Amino acid sequence: MPDYKAPVRDIRFVINEVLESEQLYQTLPGFGEATEELMNAIIDEGARFAENVIAPLNRSGDEEGCHWSEEGVRTPAGFKEAYRQYVDNGWPALSADSEYGGQGLPSMLGIMMNEMAGTANWSWVMYPGLSHGAVNTVEAHGDAGQKEKYLTKLISGEWTGTMCLTESQCGSDLGLLRTKAEPQADGSYAITGTKIFISAGEHDMTDNIVHIVLARLPDAPEGTKGISLFIVPKFNVKEDGTIGERNAVHCASIEEKMGIHGNATCVLNFDGARGFLIGPPNRGLNAMFTFMNTARIGTATQGLAHAELSFQGALTYAKDRLAMRSLTGPKNPSGPADPIIVHPDVRRMLLTQKAFAEGSRAFLYYLAQQGDIVAAGSEEQAKAADDLMALLTPIGKAFVTEAGFEAANLGLQVFGGHGFIREWGMEQIVRDARIAMLYEGTTGIQALDLVGRKVLGSGGKLLLGFTAVIDEFCNAHDAAEHAAFVKPLRAHTQEWLDLSMKLGEAAMANADNAGAGAVDYLMYSGYVTLAYFWARMAVLAQQKIAAADGDVSFYEAKVMTARFYFERLLPRTESLKITMLAGADNIMDMPEALFQL
């Protein structure tokens, strides 16, 4: 397994220089403490924890896995102790509401910490990671008593949370779920049903687990309009907030998975478990989206994490591994061969990983920053930021995880045959990364959301909001020295609008045309979105170089990576714009009977 080194310099670059976070947060009520000095200190401390405490458990947790018994699930050696340090250091409370014991810092810092901890050990970070969504859901939809009873312990990390959506007969189509909620005389509900694929659904790291569960009331209408949301704790909670008797929810088994072996993915049986309605009846799916949107940004961070970790492993190996001579003459004449980093194809793979990781970092931190504006900005600011998040969240979740998986595979490829051997750890990164394109809505589901609800459903309004941001940037940096980045960005932004209109027209003629082109449209959107952030970083780096301000070599690398992105990765949009408009006939015309084995 590669030795993880937190990319502190690049994280600081994005937070302090590209996004100018201190300047923003000094204007948002409640975030005045988020100075550059404090944020840098948090970055440094988070890096030390990730590198020294949880990174060493990554490979061992994969090899040992979790242990099921009728008494519960035991996590891999060291996980529980690392979690205790995490809680003692106050990390769960970093960006939570200070009214309930949180530190009240921006959620962008929470995403930053999630990236570092997740890159160090994704299986481990999933245990506390899902609690953020539970916290946000209770904050947004819980009543005063529910907040008092559950939020403080969730925020402190004393308890963790989950979300329980999926059942064996329904994945993304939650209208098919069967779990039932029967009203009880004391105002609670008896929850009965089985949920599957519940990450961190049972473990030994905390005294209690708060499950956020979708279920149906007896008189509920069919489909998604008849779903309600419930809080179901592993142990019932007394009125004074202390833990009471065990609730009737148990882990029937843990899934045998391709990757993330250190995290317990559980089948949970609810056998008349005591639950409490959160939010209005039959409006549970709406409330759950609070949780799911948080989880989708967190899952996008997984794509970034695995791109970064695979790049670090591949880069170290490429500098050390000797094989063949450079096509332009020996670069290591005193040795038997040259290091493989001199070969163009290895450079292509490394730069692809680097471009995806660093571009995604800027994208996701920006997305998290919009969440902070929604929480604390003026009404006008919050509306604009919320619209940006609505458009960019499905792009971030799908595109960044797809790019992260590609980067993970490229890292294995750099190692050649050694990448396929377990001892190097590169194959674990590939296995761990693969799930990110599946949970919290597959790439196809995100694409349908983007095309159907966000772009066409808003009449193009949400897309125009973001392209206006891009246009403003391009107009402000229209100088000749920035043309290599600004000119193609401007052209692709206009093309994005044109293609959106054409896809919309095709969808009006045949709705299947939208479904057939949705994933290609989303990937096109992702490449243009990342081009915007690479242009921002490149222009800033050019300005720093011209002013001889700071570490020139760092900024030169930024400009060169941006050049690679614009010349080697952004052109992938040329094929995507053809396939997204190729129509549904070539997919749908074949009769089902002709699909034969």
Side-chain angles (χ1 to χ4, degrees), residues 167-203:
E167 301 175 12
S168 59
Q169 78 286 349
C170 68
S172 298
D173 188 357
L174 293 172
L176 299 176
L177 74 81
R178 299 171 184 162
T179 298
K180 297 188 179 299
E182 296 284 346
Q184 303 297 296
D186 64 357
S188 67
Y189 294 81
I191 311 298
T192 302
T194 297
K195 299 289 185 178
I196 65 172
F197 303 159
I198 310 305
S199 301
E202 170 65 18
H203 57 78

Side-chain angles (χ1 to χ4, degrees), residues 317-332 337-348 350:
Y317 186 80
K319 289 182 175 181
D320 292 340
R321 176 70 170 178
L322 303 181
M324 301 181 289
R325 290 295 185 187
S326 167
L327 297 175
T328 55
K331 302 299 187 290
N332 179 36
D338 290 331
I340 62 173
I341 197 171
V342 308
H343 303 311
D345 190 55
V346 173
R347 289 284 186 101
R348 173 189 64 82
L350 292 172

Side-chain angles (χ1 to χ4, degrees), residues 415-469:
F415 275 70
H418 288 293
F420 202 64
I421 304 303
R422 187 165 191 174
E423 67 182 270
W424 292 92
M426 301 304 287
E427 58 84 36
Q428 182 190 333
I429 301 173
V430 174
R431 289 187 288 103
D432 287 352
R434 186 60 185 87
I435 184 62
M437 292 172 282
L438 301 177
Y439 53 22
E440 314 312 334
T442 63
T443 299
I445 292 294
Q446 302 298 328
L448 289 173
D449 178 46
L450 176 66
V451 172
R453 295 180 64 232
K454 305 305 171 56
V455 177
L456 302 183
S458 72
K461 180 182 175 182
L462 296 181
L463 178 59
L464 286 168
F466 183 51
T467 57
V469 171

Side-chain angles (χ1 to χ4, degrees), residues 275-409:
F276 303 89
L277 182 69
I278 179 170
N282 302 323
R283 299 284 292 172
L285 199 57
N286 304 74
M288 181 61 87
F289 271 109
T290 302
F291 200 140
M292 290 188 68
N293 285 331
T294 302
R296 283 171 177 170
I297 297 173
T299 302
T301 308
Q302 183 176 0
L304 161 58
H306 287 113
E308 175 66 38
L309 186 60
S310 188
F311 170 65
Q312 291 192 14
L315 178 62
T316 300
Y317 186 80
K319 289 182 175 181
D320 292 340
R321 176 70 170 178
L322 303 181
M324 301 181 289
R325 290 295 185 187
S326 167
L327 297 175
T328 55
K331 302 299 187 290
N332 179 36
S334 61
D338 290 331
I340 62 173
I341 197 171
V342 308
H343 303 311
D345 190 55
V346 173
R347 289 284 186 101
R348 173 189 64 82
M349 292 187 283
L350 292 172
L351 279 166
T352 301
Q353 292 177 295
K354 181 177 173 65
F356 279 147
E358 294 177 8
S360 296
R361 180 173 295 117
F363 176 17
L364 297 184
Y365 286 18
Y366 172 85
L367 192 55
Q369 202 175 67
Q370 298 309 303
D372 292 324
I373 296 172
V374 171
S378 67
E379 184 177 349
E380 182 179 354
Q381 288 175 314
K383 178 64 169 65
D386 194 49
D387 285 348
L388 284 173
M389 290 189 75
L391 176 79
L392 294 176
T393 295
I395 298 174
K397 192 280 171 185
F399 180 83
V400 174
T401 57
E402 293 280 351
F405 185 63
E406 179 182 341
N409 275 295

Side-chain angles (χ1 to χ4, degrees), residues 198-215:
I198 310 305
S199 301
E202 170 65 18
H203 57 78
D204 59 352
M205 292 164 65
T206 59
D207 293 334
N208 206 0
I209 302 172
V210 179
H211 302 293
I212 307 295
V213 184
L214 288 179

Side-chain angles (χ1 to χ4, degrees), residues 20-318:
E20 298 180 318
S21 297
E22 180 182 53
Q23 182 177 330
L24 170 67
Y25 289 127
Q26 297 312 300
T27 69
L28 295 179
F31 289 143
E33 293 184 9
T35 63
E36 182 172 327
E37 181 181 7
L38 177 64
M39 289 187 286
N40 285 343
I42 291 171
I43 294 167
D44 291 343
E45 286 301 316
R48 277 190 282 271
F49 178 80
E51 292 170 359
N52 300 325
V53 179
I54 56 177
L57 302 174
N58 195 9
R59 180 172 177 178
S60 62
D62 178 69
E63 292 177 345
E64 180 184 350
C66 295
H67 308 272
W68 180 91
S69 71
E70 291 186 0
E71 288 70 39
V73 171
R74 178 166 54 85
T75 52
F79 272 44
K80 185 176 182 178
E81 292 74 16
Y83 183 77
R84 180 47 49 198
Q85 289 189 51
Y86 180 78
V87 172
D88 290 345
N89 292 342
W91 292 116
L94 183 66
S95 55
D97 191 339
S98 57
E99 182 179 352
Y100 298 97
Q103 297 175 38
L105 290 168
S107 64
M108 184 195 66
L109 293 176
I111 291 294
M112 175 274 298
M113 184 59 193
N114 192 53
E115 182 211 330
M116 289 195 291
T119 311
N121 190 332
W122 192 262
S123 290
W124 182 91
V125 84
M126 290 176 70
Y127 289 101
L130 287 168
S131 294
H132 297 299
V135 166
N136 290 346
T137 302
V138 176
E139 278 185 332
H141 305 289
D143 60 34
Q146 290 168 341
K147 291 178 181 180
E148 181 68 27
K149 186 172 289 187
Y150 298 104
L151 272 185
T152 301
K153 296 229 173 29
L154 284 169
I155 285 172
S156 70
E158 186 176 342
W159 299 347
T160 58
T162 74
M163 60 177 179
C164 300
L165 291 74
T166 309
E167 301 175 12
S168 59
Q169 78 286 349
C170 68
S172 298
D173 188 357
L174 293 172
L176 299 176
L177 74 81
R178 299 171 184 162
T179 298
K180 297 188 179 299
E182 296 284 346
Q184 303 297 296
D186 64 357
S188 67
Y189 294 81
I191 311 298
T192 302
T194 297
K195 299 289 185 178
I196 65 172
F197 303 159
I198 310 305
S199 301
E202 170 65 18
H203 57 78
D204 59 352
M205 292 164 65
T206 59
D207 293 334
N208 206 0
I209 302 172
V210 179
H211 302 293
I212 307 295
V213 184
L214 288 179
R216 291 188 183 280
L217 295 168
D219 58 350
E222 295 294 321
T224 57
K225 295 181 179 180
I227 299 174
S228 299
L229 191 63
F230 300 86
I231 297 174
V232 185
K234 174 181 174 179
F235 286 91
N236 287 309
V237 182
K238 299 177 182 178
E239 290 304 314
D240 62 1
T242 59
I243 290 177
E245 72 282 359
R246 177 68 188 258
N247 207 352
V249 51
H250 297 277
C251 177
S253 64
I254 51 178
E255 308 284 3
E256 294 292 334
K257 308 186 298 294
M258 175 180 177
I260 55 170
H261 293 154
N263 192 271
T265 304
C266 300
V267 176
L268 292 182
N269 288 334
F270 296 83
D271 299 313
R274 194 166 187 242
F276 303 89
L277 182 69
I278 179 170
N282 302 323
R283 299 284 292 172
L285 199 57
N286 304 74
M288 181 61 87
F289 271 109
T290 302
F291 200 140
M292 290 188 68
N293 285 331
T294 302
R296 283 171 177 170
I297 297 173
T299 302
T301 308
Q302 183 176 0
L304 161 58
H306 287 113
E308 175 66 38
L309 186 60
S310 188
F311 170 65
Q312 291 192 14
L315 178 62
T316 300
Y317 186 80

